[in-house]
Amino acid sequence: MTALMSAPTRRRPGRAPQTGQAGHRHRLAVSRALLWPALATSIVLTQIPFLLTIYYSLQSWNMLRPGDRGFTGLDNYVSVLRDGSFLSSLGATVAVTGTAVVVSTLLGMLFAVLLDRKFVGRGLARTLMITPFLVMPAAAALVWKWSILDASTGMANWGLGLLGLPPVAWNTELPMVTIILVLTWQYTPFVMLILLAGLQAQDKDVLEAAAVDGAGALRTFGEITLPHLRQYVEIAVLLASIMLLQVFDPIAIMTRGTGGTKTLSYLLYERAFVGLEVGEAAAYGVMTVLVTIVVASVALRTLFKVFSKEGIDR
Amino acid sequence: MTTSRLRGALITAATWVLVLMFFFPVAWMVFTAFKPEHQAATMPPTFTPDFTLDRFDAVFARDMLPYLINSFSASLGSTLLVLALAIPAAYALSIRPVTNVRDALFFFISTRFMPVAASIIPVYLLLQSVGGLDNITWLTILYVGVNLPIAVWMMRSFLAEVPREVIEAAQLDGARLGTEIFRVVLPIVLPGVAAAGLICFIFAWNEFFLANLLTAQVARPTPPFLTSFVDGRGQFLAVLSAAATVAIVPVVLAGWIAQKQLVRGLAMGAIK
């Protein structure tokens, strides 16, 4: 197929439209024209607001006192850093995101391996398993809060009762656990989907050869499958981290930021739209972006290290 | 042989137990939606309720339809706009020579790195000053900003798979750019377009933060509307479950039907 398709190029080289300096320049112009609409839309919708956020963050501006608006330099950042809520929110964000990402990745890996096997009803099992990722997070948060984790009528406590364990007031006593539980439930299928695709892209001959050579399942997994999955794990962790760092819905719906679950997104929302502190909230916004960049790159670095320590390198 | 078969059966059973545990909250929600309200929040739970469709009637009596229509128009509208912008851009990034391809790609994904929180204050204030709050068109446009980078990345990976020779042959036959994209390239990457579109639709349909903050009544989509079913008097679990069931059905069904494309879309968009 390849040879057939490229044959005309060799026979009629002079007629190729993209030869020569002028042709190249023309093609470049066309490419730019194709790229620009998307690039411009993205810049207008995300970068310009962010620049404005930086601008607002340098101002003293409370919506309740519109007359007092003025430039204050870095004052907002000073008060953000002095205020204990930034550091505790940063801690909450890292704890929630980190735990949910790690647990989702481990569980996602387990499910990917289990669902990659041939077994009765595999298609149905996969379908059921991806469902939490498709469920609207607001619906999930509401159902988890009231139907599953409610202290007196929730199914979780009924299950604990069957095992002879005392009931737990999940939402109020263990808000962190509650949030992480729901996030892990939603993101495990997401990680699983990516890792499952990785497993399916694996060369079956190599696995058979390993089996013939007498390598056990665990050794085959550790020495052949895991290195092959590396790229998939990295991207799953990165994407999940980015999405989880911005988590808002379950916190707004389940805990309202109580019990150490006030993540940076929720804190900013509170300052801006409940406290009406535009300047200070903008400073939180800028700090949140910085934290996101740092956390995402640290997450990736750590991952690279873990993998290269095991002697797995591309 | 028998031990390995027994082990296989045990692993299969364990797999099913775990899968059903994960699926249980969804199943329980749907099950609760068919209960009369007084049987929804009893302890021990009722496993043999008097099945009724009354809760669904109650949901639509609370006028859920406009919220679903808002969700649908914002999700579909933004998805179509995203694809219209992303396909040419991804084409330029994968097939046509663009200087600084990496920079452009990194720029797109970096806008996704940035929490919505970073731009929400100016967006809110700007919309407020032009009277654009509670407006479905503006919400749709903002969803374009959220989903565009994902679509560009996914589409680029699919387009990179198209054999160069096919495109070169079309160019030699004198195909114009439009013909080249719509007649030659797009049909080959149609599953990829579907996957990217589906993922954008899912994200837009499920989005809560912008929807909650930027709409009030007229343009309110489903996710923030759901929270209004919780009331202080306690008798709301069945009707909430029914509303949540209605809210998740479109996306869950679409995701189930298109799961092959979904996997391909997520994995390829991520890797290539």
Side-chain angles (χ1 to χ4, degrees):
Chain A
M1 161 131 174
T2 309
L4 261 178
M5 289 296 197
S6 52
T9 323
R10 267 178 267 132
R11 240 179 280 144
R12 301 177 287 174
R15 285 193 56 195
Q18 66 272 47
T19 46
Q21 200 65 40
H24 181 73
R25 221 173 290 138
H26 172 73
R27 283 180 52 130
L28 209 58
V30 173
S31 303
R32 290 213 176 104
L34 290 172
L35 188 59
W36 254 107
L39 215 48
T41 308
S42 220
I43 289 169
V44 169
L45 289 175
T46 63
Q47 303 308 293
I48 291 177
F50 181 55
L51 291 178
L52 280 171
T53 304
I54 295 176
Y55 171 69
Y56 290 160
S57 75
L58 303 175
Q59 299 204 324
S60 150
W61 182 7
N62 185 305
M63 275 193 256
L64 293 174
R65 300 186 306 271
D68 280 350
R69 203 178 150 180
F71 183 79
T72 60
L74 295 175
D75 282 8
N76 286 322
Y77 291 92
V78 172
S79 54
V80 160
L81 289 173
R82 277 218 188 116
D83 190 316
S85 41
F86 175 75
L87 276 184
S88 65
S89 255
L90 179 61
T93 309
V94 172
V96 167
T97 308
T99 317
V101 167
V102 169
V103 181
S104 301
T105 305
L106 294 176
L107 281 176
M109 178 78 84
L110 173 70
F111 275 107
V113 170
L114 287 177
L115 293 178
D116 189 45
R117 290 173 65 244
K118 281 208 173 81
F119 65 95
V120 188
R122 179 172 77 168
L124 179 64
R126 279 184 190 169
T127 302
L128 296 183
M129 189 55 211
I130 64 167
T131 310
F133 173 61
L134 301 169
V135 169
M136 184 182 286
L142 286 164
V143 166
W144 271 94
K145 175 168 183 172
W146 298 105
S147 207
I148 310 289
L149 297 177
D150 186 73
S152 54
T153 60
M155 288 304 281
N157 282 347
W158 177 73
L160 288 181
L162 289 185
L163 300 172
L165 296 168
V168 177
W170 298 92
N171 290 298
T172 47
E173 276 173 35
L174 300 170
M176 272 293 253
V177 177
T178 305
I179 296 288
I180 290 167
L181 198 63
V182 176
L183 290 176
T184 303
W185 177 76
Q186 286 223 292
Y187 282 89
T188 296
F190 173 76
V191 176
M192 184 218 48
L193 277 173
I194 294 178
L195 297 186
L196 190 57
L199 287 177
Q200 285 169 354
Q202 210 177 354
D203 191 349
K204 297 289 176 290
D205 293 346
V206 177
L207 293 180
E208 270 173 33
V212 170
D213 289 347
L218 271 182
R219 235 189 110 200
T220 312
F221 182 77
E223 288 179 20
I224 298 173
T225 305
L226 216 49
H228 162 78
L229 279 184
R230 171 187 161 158
Q231 227 186 339
Y232 292 82
V233 173
E234 281 168 10
I235 208 76
V237 167
L238 182 69
L239 290 180
S241 307
I242 292 173
M243 288 194 259
L244 282 165
L245 275 170
Q246 312 190 20
V247 152
F248 179 81
D249 326 11
I251 290 155
I253 291 171
M254 300 179 77
T255 65
R256 301 206 157 269
T258 57
T261 61
K262 194 172 284 177
T263 57
L264 287 169
S265 293
Y266 193 81
L267 179 68
L268 175 141
Y269 160 81
E270 244 183 24
R271 289 291 151 107
F273 297 98
V274 182
L276 303 176
E277 284 282 358
V278 176
E280 206 187 297
Y284 277 111
V286 176
M287 299 294 283
T288 306
V289 173
L290 292 178
V291 168
T292 306
I293 293 168
V294 170
V295 171
S297 41
V298 168
L300 263 193
R301 286 260 172 79
T302 318
L303 205 65
F304 280 129
K305 267 191 199 145
V306 169
F307 272 100
S308 47
K309 248 186 209 158
E310 288 170 12
I312 302 160
D313 249 307
R314 243 183 271 235
Chain B
M1 210 56 202
T2 18
T3 37
S4 81
R5 279 186 74 176
L6 179 70
R7 210 177 61 177
L10 281 176
I11 295 177
T12 300
T15 307
W16 267 109
V17 169
L18 287 172
V19 167
L20 290 176
M21 273 173 65
F22 252 77
F23 187 68
F24 175 78
V26 182
W28 189 248
M29 174 182 91
V30 177
F31 184 66
T32 308
F34 289 96
K35 289 179 177 181
E37 200 62 74
H38 68 274
Q39 289 182 336
T42 53
M43 198 45 57
T46 321
F47 290 99
T48 52
D50 310 319
F51 278 98
T52 169
L53 291 174
D54 285 359
R55 296 308 105 211
F56 291 95
D57 287 342
V59 161
F60 285 100
R62 289 263 301 266
D63 235 5
M64 186 170 183
L65 200 59
Y67 300 94
L68 289 170
I69 293 171
N70 282 337
S71 280
F72 195 76
S73 46
S75 307
L76 188 67
S78 64
T79 302
L80 293 177
L81 279 170
V82 162
L83 289 180
L85 290 166
I87 290 169
Y91 183 78
L93 289 172
S94 58
I95 291 165
R96 295 253 161 188
V98 182
T99 43
N100 301 330
V101 169
R102 272 176 178 277
D103 290 348
L105 273 176
F106 183 76
F107 168 74
F108 276 115
I109 203 67
S110 74
T111 68
R112 194 52 200 174
F113 264 101
M114 198 164 73
V116 186
S119 51
I120 188 62
I121 296 168
V123 165
Y124 183 90
L125 294 172
L126 285 172
L127 287 185
Q128 194 181 38
S129 65
V130 300
L133 290 174
D134 205 13
N135 179 312
I136 201 71
T137 310
W138 279 110
L139 192 67
T140 308
I141 291 170
L142 290 173
Y143 285 173
V144 171
V146 175
N147 283 330
L148 187 56
I150 303 169
V152 170
W153 268 62
M154 283 180 60
M155 287 307 309
R156 194 196 74 98
S157 66
F158 284 114
L159 286 167
E161 295 250 302
V162 176
R164 285 296 165 108
E165 293 81 3
V166 175
I167 295 154
E168 279 164 18
Q171 286 171 352
L172 283 171
D173 290 345
R176 290 181 161 274
L177 182 65
T179 322
E180 188 183 317
I181 294 183
F182 287 105
R183 285 298 209 21
V184 181
V185 178
L186 267 191
I188 301 175
V189 294
L190 215 53
V193 177
L198 181 67
I199 284 170
C200 292
F201 189 90
I202 293 175
F203 284 148
W205 182 269
N206 290 345
E207 204 282 330
F208 179 81
F209 186 73
L210 295 173
N212 186 42
L213 215 53
L214 302 178
T215 69
Q217 187 57 47
V218 188
R220 200 109 170 129
T222 316
F225 170 67
L226 282 185
T227 59
S228 72
F229 278 93
V230 178
D231 72 9
R233 289 162 299 151
Q235 289 276 309
F236 61 81
L237 204 51
V239 75
L240 169 69
S241 301
T245 303
V246 173
I248 70 163
V249 158
V251 156
V252 168
L253 280 186
W256 281 358
I257 293 166
Q259 52 175 304
K260 282 225 171 74
Q261 274 77 8
L262 200 67
V263 178
R264 238 175 91 81
L266 280 172
M268 304 270 289
I271 305 292
K272 291 285 161 74

